Amino acid sequence: HDSHNGHATMNEQELRDAFALFDKKGDSKINVKDLGTVLRALGQNPTEESVKKMQQELDPSGGEKRITFEEFKPILNSVNGVKPSGSEADFVEGLRVFDKDGNGSINAAELRHVLSSLGEKLSDDEVDSLFANIDVDAAGSVNYEEFVRMVMSQ
């Protein structure tokens, strides 16, 4: 299965396996404190500062919060391409986690929350200006693939 296109992308299963190594309790979660270690184990190289920021967001009380692989994946994706070196597909993938119905759209409020909390934090104004250009349907949902395309083309 070595049809890898030259760069070290791990598939979902490899990521899960690596993630599982840090699951000390067997509950399929890792401690937020181990976030930096896990990211580095997966070949990422986040700065200490960005790791602290992510830990702060995930566990504001600085306690023993544990996160699932599902919660970890968007973080991995956001670190993966610090600043849009991430491809359109990566972003779409990162947002797909929030696509509860698997129909290609996510709740606009949720998207807004994701944008202001993940990776490169956007200010409210920045988020507003992004939202000014997208169609929110009657149900308050946004087609995130279109959204990502629009953002990437700016």
Side-chain angles (χ1 to χ4, degrees), residues 16-77:
R16 279 181 187 279
D17 291 348
F19 181 88
L21 295 175
F22 294 90
D23 165 15
K24 309 280 196 292
K25 293 187 179 171
D27 60 0
S28 303
K29 296 180 178 174
I30 59 163
N31 193 310
V32 168
K33 289 193 174 76
D34 295 331
L35 191 61
T37 317
V38 178
L39 286 168
R40 291 184 185 99
L42 295 175
Q44 300 308 321
N45 195 6
T47 63
E48 203 43 56
E49 190 186 337
S50 67
V51 171
K52 281 200 171 69
K53 207 167 85 175
M54 291 183 278
Q55 289 169 325
Q56 192 64 48
E57 282 162 22
L58 291 162
D59 190 6
S61 64
E64 290 289 315
K65 181 161 188 225
R66 297 170 68 76
I67 57 170
T68 63
F69 181 74
E70 268 53 46
E71 294 170 285
F72 171 73
K73 225 170 78 172
I75 299 166
L76 178 64
N77 289 341

Side-chain angles (χ1 to χ4, degrees), residues 123-138:
S123 69
D124 285 347
D125 291 348
E126 290 171 309
V127 175
D128 284 341
S129 68
L130 288 175
F131 270 83
N133 301 317
I134 51 176
D135 301 325
V136 178
D137 69 17

Side-chain angles (χ1 to χ4, degrees), residues 87-127:
S87 68
E88 202 170 291
D90 291 338
F91 284 108
V92 169
E93 203 45 56
L95 291 173
R96 186 166 286 130
V97 180
F98 301 95
D99 177 6
K100 305 280 187 280
D101 305 320
N103 59 4
S105 63
I106 63 179
N107 182 291
E110 190 155 25
L111 178 58
R112 179 177 278 276
H113 172 74
V114 172
L115 292 172
S116 53
S117 59
L118 273 185
E120 305 299 319
K121 267 196 164 90
L122 297 174
S123 69
D124 285 347
D125 291 348
E126 290 171 309
V127 175

